[in-house]
């Protein structure tokens, strides 16, 4: 077995998502399992170098996980030919500039979403990477959630018949930070820092809807800032300038209607933080992060509206659980493995920067719909060229 080491610049991994999902549960987990094995008796071994602006944070993180390489000098890391991949999980407003540098340095690109603050920038990055002949990808982690994979299995099997509608409920209560620390960084609630739930979550809903149920054709969105004042990491109050909840309706190919509620100001009364219900002519399904339940037309109860009597049905008991039938690994790690195979062995990888630009497009159009209070069509990205 031949080991093929590959240097990866990991910029911005001192944040919550970068540390937990990309560093610990992906790259370090891949190293601990002995790398990514290819069919030609070669094993890909990722060798990360942690990059950021805070030297103390980087040093502490590297020492805690036995990582030998870290730096506050992005330019020198990009200049080193040993580092073949540039990964970016910085805040969105910083991403485009660093990505341009990585493209100019000839690095393959993998990054978190949104890929840029504006659609114009997202399309520019996709174009520059293509012109430079660089392999590129964007994180689309929810496609690899066990619950979503089970939904995809149902779609591919024809279980639903003709899909009629999709309803997505996502969110939880994020504490304001005054009497209890918030679970999300304060920049999420400042528009000037790239915050806002529409910018954050519409990129996710775009690839979930496109890949499972049909391309998004139009959007109607109402956003709001339910909590106008929060407290930051230092306990200082600040005014929230970004939306913390969004209520969207999307028309998909084939006439499917998707309703999506995204909120950081909702208390959870459902089985999971994410719930996706799909209704079709032959059956329905409800999926969370890991579990998925179904109800076929022959098992559908026949309720009758009668508020004068106690409800005779236990509706949740009338659904059947979809079995795992496979082992599920961490979704971020799975996509990292696919991207590494793409770079080293030219394996297929369809979640490129152009796919990422679709998420930025939907976020922009969602904000436009909210601002103009109307339904907005979602044109093919070719129209922007």
């Amino acid at each position: 077995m031949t080991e093929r080491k590959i240097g990866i610049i990991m910029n911005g991994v001192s944040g919550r998502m970068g540390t937990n999902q990309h560093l610990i549960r992906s790259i370090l987990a891949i190293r601990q399992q002995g790398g990514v094995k290819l069919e030609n008796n070669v094993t890909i071994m990722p060798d990360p170098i942690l990059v950021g602006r805070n030297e103390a944070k980087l040093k502490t993180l590297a020492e805690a996980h036995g990582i030998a390489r870290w730096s506050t000098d992005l330019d020198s890391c990009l200049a080193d030919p040993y580092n073949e991949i540039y990964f970016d999980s910085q805040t969105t407003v910083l991403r485009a500039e660093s990505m341009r540098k990585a493209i100019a340095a000839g690095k393959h690109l993998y990054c978190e979403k949104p890929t840029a603050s504006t659609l114009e920038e997202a399309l520019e990055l996709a174009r520059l990477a293509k012109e430079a002949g660089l392999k590129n990808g964007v994180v689309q982690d929810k496609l690899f959630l066990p619950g979503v994979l089970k939904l995809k299995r149902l779609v591919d099997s024809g279980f639903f018949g003709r899909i009629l509608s999709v309803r997505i409920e996502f969110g939880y209560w994020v504490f304001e930070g005054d009497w209890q620390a918030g679970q999300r960084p304060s920049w999420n609630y400042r528009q000037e820092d790239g915050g806002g739930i529409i910018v954050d979550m519409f990129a996710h809903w775009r690839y979930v809807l496109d890949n499972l149920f049909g391309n998004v054709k139009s959007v109607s969105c109402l956003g709001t800032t339910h909590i106008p004042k929060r407290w930051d990491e230092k306990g200082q109050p600040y005014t929230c300038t970004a939306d913390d909840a969004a209520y969207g309706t999307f028309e998909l190919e084939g006439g499917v209607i998707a309703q999506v509620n995204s909120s950081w100001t909702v208390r959870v009364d459902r089985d999971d933080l994410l719930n996706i219900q799909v209704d079709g002519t032959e059956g329905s399904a409800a999926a969370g992060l890991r579990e998925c339940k179904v109800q076929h037309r022959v098992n559908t109860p026949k309720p009758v509206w009668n508020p004068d009597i106690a409800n005779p049905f236990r509706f949740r008991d009338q659904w059947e659980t979809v079995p795992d039938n496979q082992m599920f690994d961490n979704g971020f790690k799975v996509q990292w493995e696919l991207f590494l195979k793409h770079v080293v062995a030219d394996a297929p990888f369809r979640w490129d920067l152009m796919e990422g630009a679709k998420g930025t497009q939907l976020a922009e159009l969602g904000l436009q719909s909210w601002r103009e209070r109307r339904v907005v069509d979602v044109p093919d990205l070719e129209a922007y060229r």
Side-chain angles (χ1 to χ4, degrees), residues 53-69:
R53 293 169 293 172
N54 190 314
E55 181 176 338
K57 279 187 177 181
L58 288 173
K59 183 178 180 181
T60 299
L61 185 61
E63 289 177 350
H65 298 285
I67 299 171
R69 303 195 304 146

Side-chain angles (χ1 to χ4, degrees), residues 197-210:
I197 203 166
I198 295 173
V199 170
D200 188 1
M201 294 310 302
F202 273 39
H204 285 297
W205 306 142
R206 180 66 188 270
Y207 67 72
V208 169
L209 295 172
D210 278 3

Side-chain angles (χ1 to χ4, degrees), residues 146-345:
V148 175
L149 288 171
K150 292 172 186 178
L151 272 182
K152 184 65 165 63
R153 190 193 304 165
L154 293 168
V155 171
D156 293 344
S157 73
F159 170 82
F160 296 105
R162 181 168 61 88
I163 296 178
L164 307 174
S165 64
V166 180
R167 287 191 294 280
I168 299 177
E169 289 283 346
F170 167 79
Y172 47 95
W173 189 269
V174 177
F175 287 99
E176 296 91 325
D178 51 350
W179 69 281
Q180 192 163 176
Q183 307 96 298
R184 299 183 64 86
S186 58
W187 69 263
N188 282 271
Y189 305 96
R190 292 189 292 265
Q191 185 181 34
E192 59 272 24
D193 292 334
I197 203 166
I198 295 173
V199 170
D200 188 1
M201 294 310 302
F202 273 39
H204 285 297
W205 306 142
R206 180 66 188 270
Y207 67 72
V208 169
L209 295 172
D210 278 3
N211 281 273
L212 268 71
F213 310 113
N215 292 334
V216 179
K217 307 303 291 183
S218 71
V219 55
S220 173
C221 175
L222 177 62
T224 188
T225 306
H226 284 305
I227 306 294
K229 180 181 179 181
R230 292 180 181 268
W231 283 256
D232 63 20
E233 292 77 4
K234 296 180 179 179
Q236 297 300 309
Y238 66 95
T239 299
C240 300
T241 55
D243 44 290
D244 56 20
Y247 309 92
T249 301
F250 307 89
E251 182 182 9
L252 314 184
E253 282 181 332
V256 178
I257 303 300
Q259 295 174 294
V260 185
N261 292 332
S262 313
S263 179
W264 290 320
T265 58
V266 61
R267 294 177 176 90
V268 180
D269 182 23
R270 51 185 185 273
D271 291 336
D272 216 329
L273 300 185
L274 170 68
N275 187 79
I276 306 174
Q277 179 163 331
V278 184
D279 291 300
T281 54
E282 298 296 316
S284 298
L289 298 177
R290 301 193 64 84
E291 303 300 322
C292 183
K293 301 178 295 184
V294 292
Q295 187 174 94
H296 192 265
R297 64 181 303 189
V298 300
N299 296 324
T300 302
K302 192 176 184 180
V304 176
W305 174 259
N306 187 350
D308 296 323
I309 64 172
N311 175 32
F313 295 98
R314 295 179 63 86
F315 291 109
R316 286 185 170 176
D317 293 345
Q318 296 164 342
W319 293 69
E320 296 179 283
T321 300
V322 177
D324 288 350
N325 287 352
Q326 67 184 90
M327 295 293 291
F328 295 105
D329 206 345
N330 179 278
F332 290 87
K333 175 173 174 281
V334 170
Q335 197 176 5
W336 260 109
E337 290 175 335
L338 292 173
F339 186 70
L340 290 171
K341 290 179 181 179
H342 179 55
V343 170
V344 175

